[in-house]
Amino acid sequence: MASIVRKVLNLKLSRIYAAVPKRHRSGRNYIQRVNYLENDVVEDHRQSPLSKQQEVQQQQWDREALNVPRDFRYVYPDFLPNPEPKHRDRICELLEREDMYRRRAVIDLPEFYVGSIMAVKVADAHSPGKTNRFVGICIQRGGHGLRSYFILRNVIDGQGIEIMYEMYSPVLQNIEVLRLEKRLDDDLMYLRDAPHEFSTVPMDMEATPLPKGTTVPINTVMVRLNPRPWHQRWERCDLKGVEPFEVSQKLRDKAKKVAKPWEKYDLMKHYRETINDDESDTIMREIYSKKVHETRKSRTLTKKT
C-alpha cells in the first residue's frame, strides 16, 4: 500500500515539475522556492470530482427538463423555500429536498388544492385497528419544505372537526383525493362561520377521478356566512366565494380605514413575499427531472420482471 501511495505522489510531483519553467528548476527543493504554476494545472487541481459531478447532473437536468409543465409549481408548492431572507439556508434547503424525495418514494402525495375533498389515513396506536381515517375539505394549505401542512374540515354529529396534517409526517399512511377541485379563494377558513351544510362531507364518499389531461375544475359555490360574531373580521377580507353580507356602517368605515388597495400593485412587496421566477424554475426543473428519472427507472424494472 505504501508503494502505491509513493508512486502516486511521484507521478503528481513529476507533473508539477514538468509544468514549472526550466529557469525555476534549481535544486531538489524547488517546489518550496517556486510559486509559479500554469493556469491549466491549477484549474485541474482546483476542480474536485464533487463539483464536476454536480455540473454533469445539472446539465442532465437541463436536457431532461426542457418541457416542464407551466403549472408545475402550483402542483408542488411545498418544494418552494421560505421567501424571507432570515429563514433562508441553501444547504438546508437542498438537504430538505433530498429528504422530501425519499419520503415521496415511500408514500404517494397526490396533487390537491384548497377546496379538494380528501381522505387521510394515519397510524393511531389508540384506535381499534391501529389506524384512523378522516374525510374532509381542505380549507388551508401552507408551510415550506418539510414543515408543509394542510387542514381538513368536516362536520360530524353536528360538531365541526378540523385536523391539521403534516405532509411529510411519518405517521401518514395514505392520502387519497376523492374530488379534485379548486375554490374561488385560496383560504377557506371562513367555513368556520358558515352553516354546517357547506362543510359536511360523507365519511363513506367514493372517489370521482378526473379524466387524464383535463384541467382542474373550479367550484364556484357561494358560501353564506352566519350572523356575527365571527372568528375573524371577514368584512376586511376580499372574499370571492362568499355571498354578500350585511354589517353595520361603523364596521364598514373601519374596514375602509385599514384597507390597503394599493398593495396589489406593489411589485416589490410581491417580490419580497414570493420566490423569484429564476430560482423557482431551477427547483421545478430539478423536481421534474427527478420525476422523469424515477418514471424511467420504474418502467425499466417492470420490463425486467
Side-chain angles (χ1 to χ4, degrees):
M1 186 66 183
S3 60
I4 297 176
V5 174
R6 194 179 298 109
K7 289 181 180 179
V8 173
L9 293 176
N10 292 335
L11 180 60
K12 289 187 177 181
L13 291 176
S14 62
R15 290 181 179 178
I16 296 175
Y17 184 79
V20 176
K22 292 184 178 180
R23 63 179 181 272
H24 295 296
R25 301 178 185 176
S26 59
R28 298 178 59 183
N29 299 328
Y30 67 91
I31 297 180
Q32 299 179 1
R33 297 194 299 268
V34 176
N35 57 2
Y36 174 78
L37 291 175
E38 298 292 340
N39 292 332
D40 54 352
V41 178
V42 175
E43 291 298 327
D44 291 339
H45 287 277
R46 180 181 297 173
Q47 292 182 359
S48 62
L50 180 60
S51 62
K52 293 180 180 179
Q53 182 180 1
Q54 292 178 351
E55 183 179 357
V56 172
Q57 189 177 16
Q58 184 65 34
Q59 294 176 358
Q60 182 180 1
W61 288 345
D62 294 340
R63 289 194 301 268
E64 294 180 352
L66 293 177
N67 299 322
V68 180
R70 297 181 60 184
D71 57 346
F72 210 64
R73 68 180 64 185
Y74 304 106
V75 180
Y76 300 96
D78 47 296
F79 280 92
L80 295 178
N82 195 329
E84 294 189 14
K86 61 182 180 180
H87 297 303
R88 295 296 303 273
D89 191 332
R90 307 289 179 174
I91 298 179
C92 291
E93 292 170 4
L94 180 61
L95 294 177
E96 280 191 2
R97 287 201 296 270
E98 292 295 333
D99 292 340
M100 294 163 72
Y101 294 141
R102 297 190 187 98
R103 179 58 181 164
R104 284 180 174 267
V106 176
I107 183 175
D108 182 22
L109 299 180
E111 174 186 1
F112 68 94
Y113 304 93
V114 174
S116 300
I117 300 177
M118 306 168 58
V120 180
K121 183 168 67 173
V122 298
D124 188 0
H126 304 285
S127 62
K130 302 299 182 182
T131 58
N132 188 6
R133 184 175 182 269
F134 183 76
V135 179
I137 304 174
C138 180
I139 62 175
Q140 191 181 68
R141 182 175 181 177
H144 304 277
L146 294 175
R147 292 165 296 279
S148 301
Y149 68 91
F150 61 94
I151 301 177
L152 298 186
R153 176 179 173 83
N154 199 352
V155 177
I156 301 176
D157 295 335
Q159 180 67 37
I161 305 297
E162 295 181 2
I163 301 179
M164 185 182 72
Y165 296 99
E166 296 180 358
M167 289 185 60
Y168 297 93
S169 174
V171 300
L172 287 180
Q173 295 187 351
N174 185 25
I175 299 178
E176 183 181 4
V177 178
L178 304 180
R179 183 186 299 169
L180 183 63
E181 61 183 12
K182 299 179 181 179
R183 289 292 186 96
L184 297 176
D185 298 305
D186 297 332
D187 196 322
L188 302 181
M189 299 299 287
Y190 54 77
L191 290 180
R192 297 176 175 178
D193 298 315
H196 289 169
E197 60 188 41
F198 294 99
S199 303
T200 304
V201 178
M203 295 296 293
D204 56 349
M205 178 180 177
E206 296 183 358
T208 56
L210 287 176
K212 188 175 182 180
T214 59
T215 58
V216 180
I218 299 178
N219 191 347
T220 58
V221 62
M222 301 298 290
V223 178
R224 184 180 71 257
L225 296 182
N226 295 325
R228 296 182 70 251
W230 298 326
H231 289 82
Q232 192 172 340
R233 297 181 178 179
W234 301 117
E235 71 275 3
R236 300 186 179 184
C237 303
D238 185 16
L239 303 178
K240 301 177 181 179
V242 175
E243 295 181 358
F245 50 85
E246 294 292 336
V247 293
S248 62
Q249 187 62 34
K250 182 179 179 180
L251 294 178
R252 291 189 181 275
D253 295 340
K254 289 184 177 180
K256 289 182 180 180
K257 289 182 180 180
V258 299
K260 299 178 182 179
W262 60 85
E263 286 188 350
K264 60 181 179 180
Y265 305 107
D266 192 348
L267 299 181
M268 288 304 300
K269 181 177 181 297
H270 178 73
Y271 178 80
R272 290 191 298 267
E273 294 179 352
T274 57
I275 301 297
N276 60 76
D277 294 339
D278 295 337
E279 188 173 1
S280 61
D281 291 342
T282 302
I283 296 175
M284 291 303 131
R285 283 199 302 268
E286 176 186 340
I287 300 170
Y288 187 72
S289 59
K290 288 271 189 180
K291 187 178 179 64
V292 171
H293 178 70
E294 292 295 333
T295 304
R296 292 177 181 177
K297 185 177 179 181
S298 61
R299 290 178 180 176
T300 304
L301 293 177
T302 304
K303 290 180 180 180
K304 289 183 180 180
T305 55

